[in-house]
């Protein structure tokens, strides 16, 4: 932790800080000692904060023009697109912003998986992160319902019907969620309310997420505990601020590409047809970021078990710190885990692909194998690997392998001979 | 400190908590129940449909309580096919005689019992309905035969008001 004995220089600052220590907080955030070997995969925390703020600001402005009513919602969205000044821009930023948010969160999660950032003493940061991820999915789903197109309506129908799989009370819960006997106006108005609420819940959890992070400090690519502050750390400002800022600029280029050149490529054309409770579109699929879980749902032939499998696939992440029995954090020093990690990445990508395809024939078979492997990775491979794997020697500090004196002598010598 | 005094405190503490919990529940319940179907939604409980124009082999889809209802005027082949199925071949065993009292007319909610999509007419492996969302196949009696749906399509309460009019609900 940084210097909590901080005293502002000015008299006014001291007077204010004695009453509300905001300047101490600001000082903590700027001086916060950060491992000096953080790579660009660590910049996605800042990028995600940017995504959240972007969604809140564009969402607030869209809400000034949107009408949450089954008879008017679809038209009001077209009104935003055609009539409202820069409405098209704000809506495209908001719609593509959701995809960018998930892109960044998936990189952030897989970074954590690779470098073992979820392990002790960072379990609470990880679990708060999983809760944020769940809320993101809820917000994205409800937001997708608001334009009241065909995909909105039928997506809402299918997802709310997941609850009907619960024995005995399922049907009652679904009716309660709908506020009627089908998805209709009461469903739309409550989804709008909750869609408005959830980002602020996420904002609160982000504060806790960062607070929990600042207790043990950042993990790093080497995955070892470091002394803070020491020659292994640099202050957050300006070092990390500049690095995060540069990564954010790169990210915004990708973001802008979608907004300006392919604003509808991640959506479905069916959602430009107004909701019709009489006709289900021939091929309904969720947004890309939910496809792996959708594939898991469809790969199980039983309704209740399908829903259980899908929810377990997400919730299993919350207990990951206890499923992974290895004491070594970073995959850099875990030769076997590193291979299984990439197999898992491929597995999730395959699940995403088959989730977009019809659930029949070869696609269904692939989905089943990939689903089985997903659970195998977390429930069998990870626990066993911690005991069986022969890990590589870990350096004692970040600077050690660079300055010599590393216990990993062979690796250091190899490096030297290569240089020669 | 005597034992009696501690017990008196314990009782007061428990009683206060219990009354508080009941009070909190009484306040929370209206907040939860307001989300259930309101009076105006419940009021749309029944609908009457003129089926005089429907010829055998065709289906009429009407909206009832926001959900599609299939009214199928079945051909003799469809009836025969539905009636000769053995009960042990069914995932959710129901006799066609119980589902369609008047064999020519099949009235049921056009809602897949898996996740609520509207199945397509005259499709699937059993010449009945096929749900495009997750691949459930229904037979000519609207019974689930293959796929993830757990039950047959639901037959709502309905009656023939006269020869040409069905009242649903």
């Amino acid at each position: 932790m940084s210097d909590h004995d901080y005293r502002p220089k000015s008299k006014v600052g001291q007077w204010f800080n004695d009453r509300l220590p905001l300047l101490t907080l600001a000082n903590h955030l700027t001086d916060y000692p950060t491992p000096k070997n953080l790579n660009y995969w660590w910049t996605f925390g800042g990028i995600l904060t940017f995504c959240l703020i972007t969604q809140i600001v564009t969402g607030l402005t869209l809400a000034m023009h949107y009408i949450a009513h089954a008879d008017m919602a679809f038209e009001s969205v077209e009104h935003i697109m055609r009539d409202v000044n820069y409405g098209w821009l704000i809506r495209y930023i908001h719609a593509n912003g959701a995809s960018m948010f998930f892109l960044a969160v998936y990189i952030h999660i897989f970074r954590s998986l690779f470098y073992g950032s979820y392990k002790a003493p960072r379990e609470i940061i990880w679990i708060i992160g999983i809760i944020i991820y769940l809320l993101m999915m809820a917000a994205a789903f409800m937001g997708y319902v608001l334009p009241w197109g065909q995909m909105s309506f039928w997506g809402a129908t299918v997802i709310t019907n997941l609850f009907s799989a619960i024995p005995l009370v399922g049907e009652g819960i679904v009716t309660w969620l709908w506020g009627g006997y089908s998805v209709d106006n009461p469903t739309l108005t409550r989804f709008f309310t909750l869609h408005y609420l959830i980002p602020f819940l996420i904002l609160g959890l982000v504060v806790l997420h960062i607070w929990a992070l600042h207790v043990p400090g950042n993990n790093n690519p080497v995955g070892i505990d470091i002394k803070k502050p020491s020659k292994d750390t640099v202050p957050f400002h300006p070092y990390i601020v500049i690095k995060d800022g540069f990564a954010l600029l790169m990210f915004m280029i990708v973001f802008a590409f979608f907004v300006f050149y392919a604003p509808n490529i991640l959506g479905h054309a069916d959602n430009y047809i107004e909701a019709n409770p009489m006709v289900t579109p021939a091929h309904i699929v969720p947004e890309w970021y939910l496809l792996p879980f959708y594939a898991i749902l469809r790969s199980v032939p039983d309704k209740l078990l399908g829903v259980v499998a899908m929810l377990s696939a997400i919730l299993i992440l919350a207990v990951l710190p206890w499923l992974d029995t290895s004491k070594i954090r970073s995959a850099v020093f875990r030769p076997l885990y590193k291979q299984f990690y990439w197999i898992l990445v491929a597995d999730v990508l395959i699940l995403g692909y088959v989730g977009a395809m019809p659930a029949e024939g070869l696609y269904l078979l692939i989905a089943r194998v990939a689903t089985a492997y997903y659970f195998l990775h977390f429930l069998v491979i990870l626990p066993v690997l911690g005991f069986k794997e022969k890990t590589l020697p870990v350096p004692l500090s970040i600077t050690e392998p660079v300055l010599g004196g590393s216990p990993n002598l062979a690796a250091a010598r190899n490096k030297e001979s290569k240089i020669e | 400190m005597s034992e009696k005094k501690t017990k008196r405190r314990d009782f007061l503490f428990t009683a206060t908590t219990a009354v508080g919990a009941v009070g909190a529940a009484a306040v929370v319940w209206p907040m939860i129940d307001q989300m259930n179907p309101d009076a105006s939604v419940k009021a749309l409980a029944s609908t009457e449909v003129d089926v005089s124009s429907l010829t055998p082999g065709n289906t009429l889809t009407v909206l009832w309580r926001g959900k599609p209802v299939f009214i199928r005027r079945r051909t003799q082949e469809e009836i025969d096919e539905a009636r000769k199925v053995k009960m042990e071949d069914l995932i959710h065993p129901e006799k066609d005689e119980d589902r369609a009292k008047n064999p020519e007319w099949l009235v049921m909610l056009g809602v897949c019992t898996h996740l609520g999509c509207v199945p397509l007419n005259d499709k699937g492996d059993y010449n009945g309905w096929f749900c495009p969302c997750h691949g459930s196949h229904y037979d000519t009696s609207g019974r689930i035969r293959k796929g993830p749906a757990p039950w047959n399509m639901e037959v709502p309460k309905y009656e023939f008001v006269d020869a040409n009019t069905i009242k649903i609900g």
Side-chain angles (χ1 to χ4, degrees):
Chain A
M1 304 296 288
S2 70
D3 185 9
H4 279 192
D5 305 325
Y6 167 80
R7 258 188 95 63
K9 285 193 190 76
S10 73
K11 272 263 161 58
V12 180
Q14 286 174 16
W15 177 89
F16 182 83
N17 206 48
D18 285 344
R19 284 150 184 82
L20 179 66
L22 270 186
L23 294 168
T24 302
L25 178 67
N27 175 256
H28 162 76
L29 292 175
T30 46
D31 283 0
Y32 172 66
T34 320
K36 66 181 184 185
N37 59 341
L38 294 190
N39 56 34
Y40 275 105
W41 300 116
W42 259 266
T43 60
F44 282 86
I47 287 170
L48 283 162
T49 312
F50 165 80
C51 288
L52 178 62
I53 303 296
T54 304
Q55 291 306 86
I56 289 177
V57 171
T58 52
L60 278 169
T61 43
L62 285 173
M64 294 178 186
H65 305 281
Y66 172 77
I67 302 165
H69 190 282
D71 296 337
M72 287 176 271
F74 187 82
E75 262 183 55
S76 77
V77 171
E78 284 310 304
H79 161 73
I80 289 169
M81 293 300 289
R82 292 152 197 257
D83 304 338
V84 174
N85 300 332
Y86 294 104
W88 61 272
L89 178 65
I90 298 169
R91 175 163 176 266
Y92 277 154
I93 292 175
H94 196 72
N96 287 283
S99 281
M100 292 301 112
F101 206 156
F102 276 94
L103 174 69
V105 92
Y106 282 127
I107 295 173
H108 194 61
I109 290 171
F110 274 100
R111 190 286 321 268
S112 202
L113 291 180
F114 188 85
Y115 294 110
S117 302
Y118 50 85
K119 291 187 198 187
R122 298 184 180 83
E123 301 96 319
I124 298 294
I125 312 172
W126 172 257
I127 289 169
I128 292 171
I130 297 299
I131 298 170
I132 293 172
Y133 174 50
L134 281 170
L135 284 175
M136 277 174 64
M137 289 198 277
F141 158 65
M142 291 191 208
Y144 197 57
V145 174
L146 303 185
W148 211 240
Q150 272 289 66
M151 280 292 173
S152 302
F153 184 89
W154 291 102
T157 300
V158 167
I159 300 296
T160 48
N161 259 304
L162 292 177
F163 291 91
S164 72
I166 303 168
L168 301 174
V169 292
E171 297 289 339
I173 290 176
V174 173
T175 305
W176 177 73
L177 287 172
W178 287 342
Y181 304 104
S182 64
V183 172
D184 211 332
N185 194 48
T187 327
L188 177 61
T189 49
R190 68 189 56 179
F191 275 21
F192 178 58
T193 310
L194 295 173
H195 181 73
Y196 209 123
L197 167 72
I198 290 173
F200 296 98
L201 297 181
I202 293 178
L203 191 64
L205 284 166
V206 166
V207 171
L208 292 183
H209 194 63
I210 296 171
W211 186 0
L213 169 71
H214 280 232
V215 176
N218 290 71
N219 184 31
N220 64 78
V222 182
I224 53 166
D225 291 323
I226 52 168
K227 281 204 198 82
K228 290 170 286 269
S230 71
K231 60 183 181 184
D232 278 350
T233 66
V234 289
F236 187 80
H237 182 77
Y239 295 92
I240 303 297
V241 169
I242 294 296
K243 188 162 186 159
D244 277 0
F246 179 69
L248 180 60
L249 270 177
M250 294 295 116
F251 184 80
M252 283 163 83
I253 292 173
V254 178
F255 199 143
F257 168 78
F258 281 105
V259 169
F260 291 106
Y261 293 95
N264 288 306
I265 203 165
L266 297 169
H268 301 285
D270 277 308
N271 223 28
Y272 283 102
I273 303 168
E274 193 168 1
N276 179 358
M278 303 281 266
V279 183
T280 307
H283 187 51
I284 63 165
V285 277
E287 294 287 82
W288 70 268
Y289 39 80
L290 302 174
L291 286 173
F293 301 108
Y294 192 61
I296 291 173
L297 168 77
R298 295 195 304 181
S299 71
V300 182
D302 182 86
K303 180 174 170 178
L304 178 60
L305 293 179
V307 175
V308 169
M310 185 182 71
L311 291 177
S312 310
I314 304 167
L315 295 178
I316 204 169
L317 294 171
V319 289
L320 178 61
W322 296 275
L323 289 173
D324 186 344
T325 50
S326 176
K327 292 273 175 284
I328 305 295
R329 291 197 193 101
S330 175
V332 171
F333 304 102
R334 299 184 63 191
L336 283 177
Y337 174 72
K338 196 193 265 181
Q339 293 173 33
F340 284 116
Y341 170 84
W342 288 112
I343 296 173
L344 180 73
V345 172
D347 188 63
V348 172
L349 290 175
I350 289 167
L351 279 172
Y353 175 72
V354 293
M357 294 294 136
E360 53 198 27
L362 188 61
Y363 293 126
L364 191 57
L365 181 71
I366 295 171
R368 285 183 176 159
V369 173
T371 299
Y373 184 80
Y374 182 89
F375 287 104
L376 192 75
H377 176 90
F378 289 106
L379 293 175
V380 180
I381 295 173
L382 279 190
V384 172
L385 214 53
F387 298 106
K388 299 280 180 196
E389 187 177 33
K390 202 171 175 313
T391 55
L392 302 175
V394 175
L396 294 173
S397 78
I398 291 169
T399 37
E400 214 167 5
V402 184
L403 301 177
S406 159
N408 192 357
L409 272 177
R413 277 197 196 116
N414 266 336
K415 212 174 182 179
E416 274 165 30
S417 61
K418 262 180 206 155
I419 293 164
E420 284 163 16
Chain B
M1 297 286 274
S2 76
E3 214 175 277
K4 208 182 166 190
K5 255 189 179 169
T6 317
K7 274 185 178 164
R8 187 183 128 84
R9 279 279 149 199
D10 281 351
F11 172 77
L12 284 173
F13 195 66
T14 311
T16 311
T17 311
V19 171
V22 170
V27 175
V28 167
W29 176 245
M31 298 299 148
I32 294 171
D33 193 42
Q34 56 84 19
M35 281 175 69
N36 272 317
D38 60 39
S40 74
V41 170
K42 284 179 179 162
L44 305 166
S46 73
T47 182
E48 288 191 8
V49 189
D50 177 13
V51 292
S52 56
S53 61
L54 202 59
T55 52
N58 282 304
T59 305
L60 187 71
T61 309
V62 295
L63 213 58
W64 174 64
R65 286 177 158 187
K67 281 177 175 167
V69 174
F70 292 155
I71 302 172
R72 173 86 175 176
R73 189 165 183 185
R74 298 192 295 183
T75 61
Q76 194 56 45
E77 298 93 84
E78 287 171 345
I79 298 167
D80 293 343
E81 202 181 326
R83 304 228 152 166
K84 73 170 190 247
V85 177
K86 293 195 200 86
M87 281 300 113
E88 54 265 34
D89 294 340
L90 294 172
I91 296 167
H92 175 195
E94 267 186 332
K95 282 190 185 151
D96 185 63
E97 286 84 343
D98 296 334
R99 291 177 59 79
K101 297 272 195 254
N102 178 351
E104 202 180 357
W105 297 94
L106 178 65
V107 180
M108 61 186 182
L109 292 184
V111 175
C112 181
T113 57
H114 182 225
L115 295 174
C117 296
V118 180
L120 303 168
N121 281 317
D122 303 313
K123 289 255 166 63
D125 298 353
Y126 296 87
N127 304 319
W129 285 266
F130 172 72
C131 182
C133 293
H134 308 95
S136 292
H137 299 256
Y138 295 88
D139 66 13
T140 55
S141 187
R143 293 174 296 199
I144 178 68
R145 303 300 295 274
K146 201 170 101 182
W151 304 295
N152 304 333
M153 278 191 263
E154 190 185 335
V155 176
K157 217 177 93 183
Y158 71 94
E159 61 183 4
F160 277 87
V161 182
D162 56 55
N164 288 328
T165 313
I166 296 179
K167 184 182 166 201
I168 305 164

